[in-house]
Amino acid sequence: MQKQYDFKKQELKWRKFWEKESLYKFNPKKSGKIFSIDTDPPTLSGKMHIGHVSSYTHEDIIARYHRMKGENVYFPFGVDCNGLPTERLVESINKITLFEIGRKKFIQLCQGTIKKVLPDFIAGWKRVGMSCDFSNVYSTISQEVQKISQEYFLELFEQNRVYEKESPTLFCPFCQTAIAQAEMEDKEKQTIFNDIEFKLEDGNKIIIATTRPELLASCVAIFVHPKDARYKNLIGKTAIVPIFGQKVKIFSDENVDKEKGTGIVMCCTFGDTTDLDWYFKYNLPLRVSITKQGKLNDLAGEFKGLPIKVARKMIIERLKEKGLIKSQKNINHSVNIHERCGTEVEIIPTRQWFIKYLDLKEQFLKQSDKLNWYPKYMKIRLDNWIRGLRWDWCVSRQRYFGIPIPVWYCKKCSKIILPSIKDLPVDPLHSKPSKKCSCGSNEFIPETDVLDTWATSSLSPQIALSLVKDKKIRQKIFPTSLRPQAHDIINFWLFYTLSRSYLHFKKLPWKDVFISGHVLDSKGEKMSKSKGNAVDPEAILEKYGTDAVRYWASQAGMGDDFRFNEEEIQQGKRTATKIWNASQFALMHLKNYSYKKTDGKLLEDEDKWIFTKLNQTIKEYTDRMDKYEYPRAKEIIDSFFWKDFCDNYLEIIKSRAYEPENKNTLKAVQFTIYKVVLAILKLYAPFMPFVTEEVYQGYFQKTEKTKSIHLTLLPVIEKELNFPKIVPDFELVIDAISQIRKYKSENRLSMKAELESVSIKTKDKQRIKKYLPLISKLMSVKEIKLV
RNA sequence: GGGCGUAUGGCUCAGUUGGUUAGAGCGCUAUCCUCACACGAUAGAGGUCGAUGGUUCGAGUCCAUCUACGCCCACCA
């Protein structure tokens, strides 16, 4: 008999089988409650990482569980091919830059490259055993999705929720695009804190500390703290900015930190978000001295054209020449960088499109209240984020590869022209409005900006829905039952989807939200390519098999970051092997058995005991799974399978199975094995879909008829097979066996060594009596004395 | 600075509404090649539950304070 379960062969075999049979294809006609999942479309990147493996395993376990509960599971799959990450990928694969080949060619290249890499990319998700409907994968850049995204954009336009405005915007000079608040990250950087001397009109001098002297040309005001005794007399006076000479007023504001620098701060348009606040609060003049390219402009006079960092050096040099730098020190401070490229973010007034939602904070908070959060405490993160919002949602990006903003401007009267819905999707660059402008002009300027990726992925429930043709079913799918996602994008994807759903439907997009954590390295540190501690999922899957890796992943509870742990994967592999081995052994005794329900009446006490234990297991397992507590459910089935079934039940019934005293006792064993093994396989199936399928197909499929274990229903508690009274009696038996095992172990005897006589302690001499023959046979003891 | 979370044997984690000797797996030690499985079995050693104080007849489990770590947000002149 084969002693090793060959996972490699089996996993490939069953993956092919599932795909060929369209096992997970959504069937709108199937009866039963619909369980719909707003699957997170992974961002198209070269390869999946280990974090994907874990979070997608989590949602797949949930999906498989609900499918086996008899629900009609809608589990779509999509890939986010939109925007900057794809541009970057395409550039690196093709070893070109978009500037070299131009917009039109670049977009074509993107589309071509996506086609090429997508199948391999998706294959990763198939490999981890995802039970999505892969027959109908969406891409966020497809024509269909473009239509959806543009249509909802137009809807917001009609609601007066979309506007365009020249406004100070978070801008990435490297990516050449506006970005959203959520796209910023902090980074500690070393810089120089310069104490610079300013002259006052009255001839006095003040010292201002700044890390950004290159912005002197943009200085529009100076601030001190209203309660700073040192500078009370400065308030209201006028200072002269060195080098550039503009005169600026000195104000007082609570936001000034007295302890920082000299306690006097210059306000530039714009150095940071505080400057922005002051700009609006005190209605300060606008003096922009840096360009979108991150260079100084005309306002900077002789420094014009210099990149920010170079200009900083030059201006410091100039100040030094003039003796205006009083001191310098190195400090570490954190700056806002663009999370996609690491460039320091600037605030530059540009014309952008916004979705107006700042007025809806209260409503969003209410929506958050109504949502079922798993785990509960993640809600606070969203609420904090909503409360802290300061900007409307900037949805325009000055990028090439994305969904175009469906807008033209009349060349003559500048009016905004929208396409009609039936013409969507449109690319204003390559098409024209179907009608003349109301002013009579037939010439238009196309909008060249594209939509922010999140403006589209925030419609993921609608996108997923669009794959289903039947309208009635669509109504049942939305709001979806579940949104699974990781905690790092609560402020992005979760928030944006929730807000879009409110704007368009005044509804929650989902009933439940399930948040999963991150995978850390074995030391508990974040994995990253630069650190070199990232684990390659492919190598791990290759080494241990998918079931084993899923076993590891399923130890992470909701919301918890957890460590990569190769030992736990090994444990998963052992479990898969044990399932396979125990099944082979158990099923060996069913060779000439055909399952009959009436055999359930022939049960002996150990059979009744294992059935009762099974029922307890089913109950606890189901309770946990319903609350998305799959790690506990896994432990429950582990313990039942390994301890109760393998270590005890199978040992106890061996003699009955090998040398039965009569037909009935054998039938009872066979009946029990049949039902319990099948139940174990089913309970493990959401976690370890491959090995359970292998065993099911090798035996049970013939009798159960269902095409795959993954389409079967979970075992339920059968009243006629529940004998709670047996359990305490049998605990005595297990205890007695354990005592004899201990005696043999301590005396270095083999477990099969024969003993003349042994004494065991028991709580209840009367009740254990009837089991003494069983114990003595199992443990090869001639006489058992009760103490 | 605001918020959230976590701290239980060497490691990874359970411990539900406070109640008798704190659990599991891995690792470790010893024994057993027991006719499914040595990726196995049996047994054993090993924690007083981050710290301090409090509530209580009784606290890992509630309260307060503190410490360490992680994350989110703000600041970052």
Side-chain angles (χ1 to χ4, degrees):
Chain A
M1 189 181 287
Q2 188 185 3
K3 289 193 176 180
Q4 275 268 348
Y5 165 64
D6 182 358
F7 66 85
K8 272 187 202 171
K9 254 198 210 156
Q10 313 304 359
E11 292 184 356
L12 184 66
K13 179 173 77 187
W14 296 122
R15 260 203 313 274
K16 280 187 180 164
F17 173 76
W18 298 338
E19 196 155 356
K20 195 179 120 238
E21 297 289 325
S22 304
L23 215 61
Y24 308 119
K25 195 173 161 66
F26 179 64
N27 175 6
K29 286 181 186 142
K30 201 185 153 203
S31 62
K33 179 184 156 193
I34 289 185
F35 187 85
S36 51
I37 301 173
D38 181 16
T39 324
D40 36 339
T43 302
L44 180 66
S45 59
K47 264 184 188 175
M48 83 187 316
H49 56 75
I50 195 81
H52 285 130
V53 174
S54 86
S55 61
Y56 284 91
T57 295
H58 299 160
E59 59 200 78
D60 188 59
I61 289 169
I62 295 166
R64 286 178 183 276
Y65 169 70
H66 282 271
R67 192 178 291 114
M68 291 179 79
K69 264 177 88 178
E71 293 169 22
N72 192 9
V73 173
Y74 183 54
F75 194 14
F77 190 79
V79 180
D80 191 358
C81 305
N82 215 330
L84 217 43
T86 306
E87 289 188 6
R88 292 273 147 68
L89 181 74
V90 169
E91 284 180 328
S92 83
I93 288 178
N94 298 292
K95 301 203 168 57
I96 50 99
T97 68
L98 65 91
F99 300 110
E100 287 165 16
I101 64 170
R103 180 169 188 150
K104 197 167 180 181
K105 273 194 176 170
F106 184 70
I107 290 173
Q108 284 167 355
L109 185 63
C110 285
Q111 276 154 349
T113 309
I114 287 174
K115 251 185 209 158
K116 242 189 272 168
V117 300
L118 209 53
D120 273 353
F121 186 67
I122 296 170
W125 274 260
K126 292 181 179 172
R127 174 136 197 206
V128 300
M130 292 287 285
S131 60
C132 293
D133 182 351
F134 284 108
S135 67
N136 205 2
V137 173
Y138 70 81
S139 151
T140 56
I141 199 71
S142 71
Q143 291 298 299
E144 294 77 20
V145 172
Q146 296 211 12
K147 180 173 167 16
I148 292 168
S149 187
Q150 291 185 336
E151 192 175 330
Y152 282 106
F153 178 85
L154 295 181
E155 188 178 310
L156 290 179
F157 197 95
E158 271 169 34
Q159 289 182 27
N160 280 322
R161 282 275 164 201
V162 173
Y163 64 92
E164 56 154 0
K165 195 187 167 190
E166 169 103 17
S167 164
T169 311
L170 299 168
F171 198 89
C172 174
F174 180 78
C175 298
Q176 284 292 297
T177 181
I179 62 168
Q181 192 179 343
E183 287 174 276
M184 288 196 300
E185 244 172 35
D186 284 1
K187 195 170 181 185
E188 274 280 304
K189 287 206 171 175
Q190 214 190 38
T191 189
I192 303 165
F193 208 22
N194 305 283
D195 282 345
I196 299 173
E197 183 180 291
F198 279 53
K199 260 191 189 147
L200 298 185
E201 256 185 347
D202 63 15
N204 286 320
K205 291 169 185 171
I206 55 171
I207 308 290
I208 293 177
T210 179
T211 58
R212 300 201 66 182
E214 76 275 16
L215 288 176
L216 278 174
S218 282
C219 181
V220 291
I222 287 170
F223 283 88
V224 296
H225 195 278
K227 285 183 184 160
D228 194 334
R230 295 172 294 178
Y231 304 127
K232 264 209 165 128
N233 58 337
L234 293 180
I235 300 169
K237 288 189 175 166
T238 300
I240 301 159
V241 177
I243 302 180
F244 300 95
Q246 74 266 34
K247 291 178 180 172
V248 295
K249 275 220 153 160
I250 302 178
F251 296 82
S252 70
D253 192 277
E254 299 277 347
N255 259 342
V256 175
D257 182 350
K258 289 189 279 186
E259 310 302 319
K260 200 148 202 166
T262 57
I264 310 177
V265 51
M266 67 172 184
C267 171
C268 308
T269 52
F270 299 95
D272 61 39
T273 49
T274 316
D275 289 348
L276 194 67
D277 285 343
W278 286 334
Y279 166 73
F280 286 118
K281 191 169 170 184
Y282 296 97
N283 200 15
L284 298 170
L286 186 64
R287 285 179 68 92
V288 177
S289 65
I290 49 177
T291 65
K292 291 183 201 171
Q293 285 73 30
K295 291 177 178 170
L296 298 212
N297 67 10
D298 291 343
L299 210 58
E302 58 179 306
F303 301 100
K304 180 187 168 183
L306 295 176
I308 290 170
K309 295 238 163 110
V310 179
R312 187 177 300 170
K313 262 189 198 163
M314 301 287 286
I315 288 178
I316 287 174
E317 282 309 307
R318 181 59 46 86
L319 287 167
K320 274 185 179 165
E321 284 167 21
K322 297 193 169 197
L324 296 174
I325 297 258
K326 291 304 165 189
S327 67
Q328 286 186 318
K329 62 179 169 186
N330 289 317
I331 56 161
N332 281 320
H333 73 160
S334 51
V335 291
N336 286 323
I337 58 167
H338 184 203
E339 50 134 20
R340 305 269 195 211
C341 69
T343 308
E344 291 176 37
V345 170
E346 297 294 342
I347 299 168
I348 299 174
T350 49
R351 192 196 54 79
Q352 302 291 345
W353 285 91
F354 294 88
I355 290 178
K356 185 183 164 200
Y357 66 15
L358 227 45
D359 56 321
L360 297 174
K361 283 188 184 186
E362 282 308 312
Q363 285 87 326
F364 291 160
L365 287 169
K366 275 183 200 154
Q367 294 298 93
S368 166
D369 282 344
K370 283 191 263 175
L371 203 53
N372 298 321
W373 289 83
Y374 295 90
K376 280 207 174 72
Y377 63 81
M378 288 293 178
K379 172 182 185 298
I380 294 157
R381 291 207 190 181
L382 179 68
D383 293 356
N384 281 342
W385 175 257
I386 294 172
R387 290 195 193 97
L389 281 176
R390 305 151 43 109
W391 316 58
D392 273 335
W393 180 5
C394 174
V395 290
S396 48
R397 293 296 116 101
Q398 290 70 55
R399 300 304 308 171
Y400 294 171
F401 193 62
I403 298 181
I405 293 180
V407 161
W408 296 270
Y409 307 88
C410 173
K411 204 169 183 179
K412 203 167 148 200
C413 70
S414 302
K415 197 182 155 192
I416 291 170
I417 315 286
L418 303 176
S420 59
I421 286 177
K422 67 174 170 41
D423 294 333
L424 298 179
V426 300
D427 183 349
L429 269 174
H430 302 116
S431 62
K432 279 183 128 188
S434 50
K435 281 185 262 174
K436 281 183 181 174
C437 176
S438 54
C439 76
S441 166
N442 201 16
E443 286 188 273
F444 306 95
I445 300 165
E447 172 59 69
T448 54
D449 286 1
V450 296
L451 285 166
D452 171 22
T453 297
W454 300 104
T456 301
S457 50
S458 59
L459 294 166
S460 62
Q462 281 65 48
I463 296 169
L465 228 58
S466 73
L467 304 178
V468 177
K469 299 295 164 235
D470 186 328
K471 206 176 174 187
K472 272 188 190 164
I473 301 293
R474 278 199 298 227
Q475 282 165 351
K476 283 190 191 168
I477 293 177
F478 184 80
T480 64
S481 315
L482 177 71
R483 152 63 71 88
Q485 66 161 82
H487 57 59
D488 57 339
I489 49 174
I490 288 176
N491 303 336
F492 299 64
W493 193 40
L494 196 153
F495 168 65
Y496 286 139
T497 313
L498 183 132
S499 55
R500 278 317 270 289
S501 194
Y502 183 79
L503 286 166
H504 295 288
F505 314 104
K506 301 280 181 292
K507 263 191 195 172
L508 274 180
W510 339 276
K511 296 185 191 87
D512 296 352
V513 164
F514 173 85
I515 306 290
S516 58
H518 284 157
V519 179
L520 307 171
D521 74 2
S522 53
K523 288 176 200 147
E525 286 175 30
K526 246 188 184 172
M527 284 194 190
S528 68
K529 273 184 195 165
S530 55
K531 269 192 209 162
N533 61 350
V535 173
D536 174 18
E538 223 168 285
I540 295 295
L541 288 165
E542 188 66 23
K543 189 169 170 192
Y544 297 104
T546 301
D547 280 339
V549 176
R550 288 174 62 108
Y551 185 95
W552 155 75
S554 62
Q555 75 167 341
M558 43 194 176
D560 289 340
D561 287 344
F562 71 116
R563 295 177 187 208
F564 178 76
N565 185 341
E566 210 156 334
E567 278 81 49
E568 194 66 22
I569 299 177
Q570 261 162 13
Q571 185 59 21
K573 197 174 169 223
R574 279 188 211 114
T575 304
T577 306
K578 185 86 175 173
I579 290 171
W580 194 83
N581 264 316
S583 304
Q584 296 315 301
F585 170 66
L587 298 178
M588 185 176 82
H589 295 291
L590 298 187
K591 265 187 187 144
N592 301 310
Y593 178 69
S594 57
Y595 172 76
K596 256 190 265 150
K597 204 174 177 195
T598 48
D599 289 343
K601 291 190 176 136
L602 306 170
L603 299 186
E604 302 201 3
D605 282 359
E606 58 267 31
D607 310 325
K608 291 179 178 177
W609 169 75
I610 198 72
F611 270 119
T612 312
K613 280 283 196 182
L614 172 66
N615 288 335
Q616 284 173 7
T617 303
I618 293 169
K619 166 100 178 52
E620 290 170 24
Y621 173 97
T622 315
D623 286 349
R624 295 294 196 166
M625 287 298 250
D626 282 335
K627 290 186 280 185
Y628 302 112
E629 293 176 12
Y630 48 81
R632 301 287 83 75
K634 191 200 73 175
E635 281 176 11
I636 288 159
I637 175 66
D638 271 346
S639 159
F640 172 75
F641 165 63
W642 211 293
K643 286 210 141 72
D644 295 332
F645 185 71
C646 292
D647 293 349
N648 287 315
Y649 182 75
L650 285 182
E651 292 302 325
I652 290 170
I653 55 92
K654 263 181 190 169
S655 62
R656 260 172 85 198
Y658 279 113
E659 299 138 15
E661 281 172 20
N662 58 58
K663 269 190 182 170
N664 281 352
T665 188
L666 179 63
K667 274 187 182 174
V669 164
Q670 291 174 319
F671 174 86
T672 309
I673 286 177
Y674 185 95
K675 294 211 64 143
V676 176
V677 170
L678 182 57
I680 289 168
L681 292 174
K682 286 178 173 184
L683 295 174
Y684 266 122
F687 295 91
M688 309 188 118
F690 293 96
V691 67
T692 50
E693 179 79 317
E694 167 73 14
V695 177
Y696 177 85
Q697 298 290 351
Y699 183 86
F700 293 99
Q701 201 278 328
K702 289 189 283 293
T703 49
E704 294 288 313
K705 304 292 189 232
T706 306
K707 207 190 308 179
S708 159
I709 190 169
H710 303 297
L711 300 182
T712 64
L713 294 176
L714 286 168
V716 291
I717 296 170
E718 295 176 58
K719 276 182 197 157
E720 59 273 26
L721 295 175
N722 205 31
F723 313 91
K725 283 180 188 162
I726 289 280
V727 174
D729 287 3
F730 237 78
E731 300 298 323
L732 298 173
V733 175
I734 304 288
D735 180 56
I737 291 171
S738 170
Q739 286 182 51
I740 301 170
R741 280 172 177 163
K742 185 171 177 178
Y743 175 84
K744 290 189 175 179
S745 175
E746 281 172 354
N747 290 282
R748 305 186 161 196
L749 292 167
S750 151
M751 285 301 137
K752 67 176 182 184
E754 296 203 3
L755 291 178
E756 279 300 317
S757 166
V758 99
S759 304
I760 55 175
K761 286 181 193 162
T762 188
K763 283 179 197 159
D764 194 325
K765 288 183 195 171
Q766 284 311 310
R767 294 175 79 179
I768 200 174
K769 254 185 186 158
K770 63 188 275 207
Y771 299 109
L772 291 180
L774 175 82
I775 299 170
S776 86
K777 190 161 190 188
L778 176 64
M779 297 308 297
S780 308
V781 180
K782 277 189 183 158
E783 186 196 8
I784 296 173
K785 290 176 190 161
L786 297 174
V787 185

